[in-house]
Amino acid sequence: MADRKGISGPPNPAISASERPQKPKRNKYAFACAILASLTSILVGYDIGVMSGAGMYIQEDLKISDVKLEVLMGILNVYSLIGYAATGRTSDWIGRRYTIVLASALFLIGALLMGFATNYAFLMVGRFVTGIGVDYALMIAPVYTAELSPASSRGFLTSLPEVFINAGILLGYVSNYAFSKLPLHLGWRLMLGIGALPAVFLAVGVLEMPESPRWLVLQGRLGDAEKVLDRTSDSKEEALRRLADIKEAAGIPPGCNDDVVAVPQRSHGKAVRHILIAVVGIHFFQQTSGIDAVVLYSPKIFEKAGITSQSHKLLATVAVGFIKTTFILLATFLLDRIGRRPLLLASVGGMIVSLASLGIALTIIERSDTKLIWAITLAIASVLAYVATFSIGIGPITLVYSSEILPLHLRARGTSIVLTVNRVMSGIISMTFLSFSKAITIGGVFFFFTGVAIAGFVFFYTLLPETQGKTLEEMEILFGTFFKWRSTVRELGKNNRLDGECNGYTNSNSQIQLGQLTAK
């Protein structure tokens, strides 16, 4: 049995900079596992994207009203709530890996049901099964990825589920365009049914992945957890450090080094309240700022902006998907370079400007008797700017931030709670957008979203500290003082510098982290 004692003392300060070890390369095994787990999110994104175009054909073929179309588009979020009460407990019971398999199986069944739907009621049954799959996929992909990833690349890897959601949305848009020329009764059914294919390959591939090391520790399986950490860490020393941190978070004494141990129950204090407020808030503002309205109803928005051709509306929608995917990819490379907080604040600031300009453009177009090319151009540019600024910040950061700050014992169940908030707000927005726009005009709706985004900016600025470079088990240190977190960070920075001077070395990750937090 290998000894799992901590790492030996700090490096000799006499060692020159050239002799010190270089920054490790990104762990390829952890990267491959994160990619595979995140592929579940493609199924979520595909369903969202494909419904935006398929809805037009479903309405025409089944002769349903706007209200029934709204319900069909947004009911997925309501259905998903039914499963959220069970997702966290399911993940804690059967493990993260088998929960991903379960999500894929539900998507497979749901896609087949929708593809073979003969009427509106049959279609709603397919939406129900898919909705349950959505809640499992949205919860498990970021949790598994965050728990598997080393701290050096956690931001990049944990943002992958959001990348694949956007890739799925783009594929859904492309599917809309590709099948739009088929006979009416066949086209939308193929758009929806073809989503079953990737679910099959994903369910099989996930079985080759390791289990989350943090879940293994929670089961008391230290030997298995150590093997996974050895493969998913940047070095052997980091693997030992991560294991020690996870054991501490789980309440396992440092001296417990058997392969299988008993895990005690632990309670958390004020830090958990701050964390819950932060994660609920970021999910709430992500959805109520209108992203699902733009993604699901982009053809309707472009129609209001003056684009009348169905083909042109679908092409414009593909452009939305392309911009969204491109900027989410850019965000994945920035998260571990400049941090979560700067990207989040810049993103929401850009959303405020683009939402306001979209509201202005749509209001002018709606009140004008003539076709104003400049206003149409402004509306289209504002939509693209909005999805770009959303995707480079609050889009990926919401999952990254909530996955990494929730304590170990509460991570799966806590994620299911905040995703309930996410899906409730998403459902409200997607199921009321058409009616809301008729009540206060479509321009007025986007002015409303602008106000929500402003409130979100204030919330993020005052309550959310930076988390870049911290291990998952260090997050509680940053929380618990609510609005006074800046003074806590300064105190921690002072203590870290003193510790570094006493030991003859400094922790570069801590300095970078604290420097970004205290820079105002």
Side-chain angles (χ1 to χ4, degrees):
M1 176 75 192
D3 186 13
R4 295 192 186 92
K5 293 181 180 179
I7 304 166
S8 58
N12 188 339
I15 297 176
S16 66
S18 61
E19 293 174 318
R20 289 174 187 163
Q22 299 298 310
K23 182 180 177 180
K25 295 181 179 180
R26 181 166 288 140
N27 186 291
K28 292 180 180 178
Y29 184 70
F31 181 80
C33 292
I35 286 278
L36 193 54
S38 301
L39 283 173
T40 313
S41 301
I42 275 192
L43 305 175
V44 177
Y46 182 83
D47 185 85
I48 294 170
V50 79
M51 281 303 296
S52 70
M56 297 187 299
Y57 301 105
I58 292 170
Q59 185 173 27
E60 184 181 351
D61 187 28
L62 301 183
K63 305 296 187 291
I64 59 176
S65 65
D66 278 352
V67 173
K68 282 191 172 183
L69 178 61
E70 278 183 319
V71 171
L72 182 67
M73 300 288 254
I75 200 68
L76 193 75
N77 300 302
V78 178
Y79 287 155
S80 68
L81 297 178
I82 297 172
Y84 276 132
T87 53
R89 293 188 181 277
T90 301
S91 174
D92 287 340
W93 177 42
I94 66 174
R96 316 313 195 205
R97 186 176 58 155
Y98 286 113
T99 304
I100 296 175
V101 175
L102 178 59
S104 302
L106 289 167
F107 270 112
L108 169 65
I109 296 168
L112 291 176
L113 287 172
M114 290 190 293
F116 287 104
T118 54
N119 53 46
Y120 185 76
F122 196 160
L123 193 55
M124 290 292 276
V125 173
R127 297 292 281 165
F128 172 77
V129 177
T130 304
I132 304 299
V134 163
D135 70 31
Y136 278 98
L138 285 175
M139 184 279 293
I140 197 59
V143 168
Y144 177 87
T145 307
E147 292 185 345
L148 195 78
S149 306
S152 62
S153 56
R154 192 180 59 247
F156 174 81
L157 296 179
T158 312
S159 65
L160 289 177
E162 185 70 17
V163 173
F164 285 111
I165 287 176
N166 285 274
I169 290 172
L170 178 58
L171 288 174
Y173 290 159
V174 171
S175 176
N176 289 153
Y177 188 73
F179 295 119
S180 63
K181 306 301 181 183
L182 294 176
L184 181 62
H185 71 282
L186 182 62
W188 66 265
R189 289 182 171 86
L190 278 174
M191 293 175 193
L192 300 177
I194 202 170
L197 293 178
V200 176
F201 298 108
L202 179 60
V204 174
V206 166
L207 294 175
E208 298 299 317
M209 292 162 44
E211 186 48 86
S212 156
R214 287 173 174 82
W215 183 82
L216 292 170
V217 170
L218 283 178
Q219 308 308 304
R221 295 163 55 183
L222 298 187
D224 291 336
E226 184 179 32
K227 292 174 184 175
V228 176
L229 288 168
D230 283 343
R231 299 191 69 183
T232 59
S233 298
D234 293 329
S235 64
K236 178 65 177 177
E237 291 75 15
E238 188 194 3
L240 292 171
R241 203 161 47 234
R242 289 174 69 188
L243 181 61
D245 288 341
I246 298 169
K247 285 170 62 179
E248 181 181 358
I252 299 173
C256 272
N257 294 321
D258 295 332
D259 279 340
V260 180
V261 301
V263 182
Q265 296 295 317
R266 296 192 67 186
S267 61
H268 304 269
K270 292 173 68 177
V272 168
R273 290 195 289 275
H274 185 180
I275 287 169
L276 285 176
I277 290 171
V279 295
V280 167
I282 195 170
H283 279 268
F284 174 85
F285 285 112
Q286 184 203 48
Q287 288 303 322
T288 51
S289 58
I291 186 60
D292 274 5
V294 172
V295 171
L296 283 172
Y297 295 104
S298 49
K300 294 275 187 184
I301 294 169
F302 289 128
E303 182 180 321
K304 291 287 186 181
I307 300 176
T308 54
S309 165
Q310 286 215 0
S311 179
H312 290 167
K313 281 187 284 187
L314 289 176
L315 281 174
T317 302
V318 171
V320 169
F322 178 77
I323 291 291
K324 207 169 184 300
T325 305
T326 300
F327 277 83
I328 198 75
L329 283 170
L330 179 60
T332 62
F333 294 102
L334 296 177
L335 275 169
D336 288 320
R337 293 177 181 270
I338 66 176
R340 287 62 158 149
R341 185 175 162 83
L343 269 183
L344 180 62
L345 295 176
S347 166
V348 179
M351 288 163 57
I352 291 168
V353 174
S354 54
L355 285 167
S357 64
L358 179 57
I360 292 169
L362 290 173
T363 300
I364 291 171
I365 292 169
E366 194 170 38
R367 296 185 178 183
S368 175
D369 295 328
T370 59
K371 192 170 185 178
L372 301 173
I373 299 300
W374 68 268
I376 295 172
T377 304
L378 177 61
I380 295 171
S382 297
V383 169
L384 297 179
Y386 170 72
V387 297
T389 52
F390 176 91
S391 299
I392 204 169
I394 193 172
I397 289 172
T398 296
L399 287 177
V400 172
Y401 203 89
S402 59
S403 296
E404 66 186 1
I405 69 175
L406 283 165
L408 178 60
H409 275 97
L410 304 176
R411 188 161 299 132
R413 277 175 278 179
T415 302
S416 67
I417 290 170
V418 296
L419 284 174
T420 299
V421 174
N422 186 295
R423 293 297 90 194
V424 166
M425 301 318 301
S426 173
I428 291 172
I429 296 298
S430 57
M431 292 176 69
T432 61
F433 177 75
L434 295 179
S435 301
F436 198 21
S437 63
K438 287 178 182 177
I440 66 170
T441 74
I442 192 166
V445 172
F446 286 101
F447 287 133
F448 170 79
F449 292 149
T450 303
V452 172
I454 291 171
F457 186 93
V458 174
F459 177 86
F460 301 145
Y461 183 81
T462 55
L463 274 175
L464 270 60
E466 178 61 80
T467 58
Q468 179 193 14
K470 291 292 184 183
T471 67
L472 297 181
E473 287 63 46
E474 292 173 326
M475 293 302 173
E476 285 187 71
I477 299 173
L478 296 174
F479 292 86
T481 52
F482 294 93
F483 297 100
K484 298 179 181 179
W485 62 265
R486 290 174 178 80
S487 60
T488 303
V489 167
R490 285 192 289 270
E491 192 64 32
L492 286 171
K494 186 188 301 182
N495 293 339
N496 283 350
R497 285 193 295 273
L498 289 174
D499 290 343
E501 289 169 3
C502 290
N503 291 325
Y505 77 106
T506 58
N507 185 315
S508 59
N509 279 343
S510 297
Q511 286 185 331
I512 294 170
Q513 165 77 4
L514 295 166
Q516 289 174 333
L517 280 167
T518 54
K520 300 295 295 174

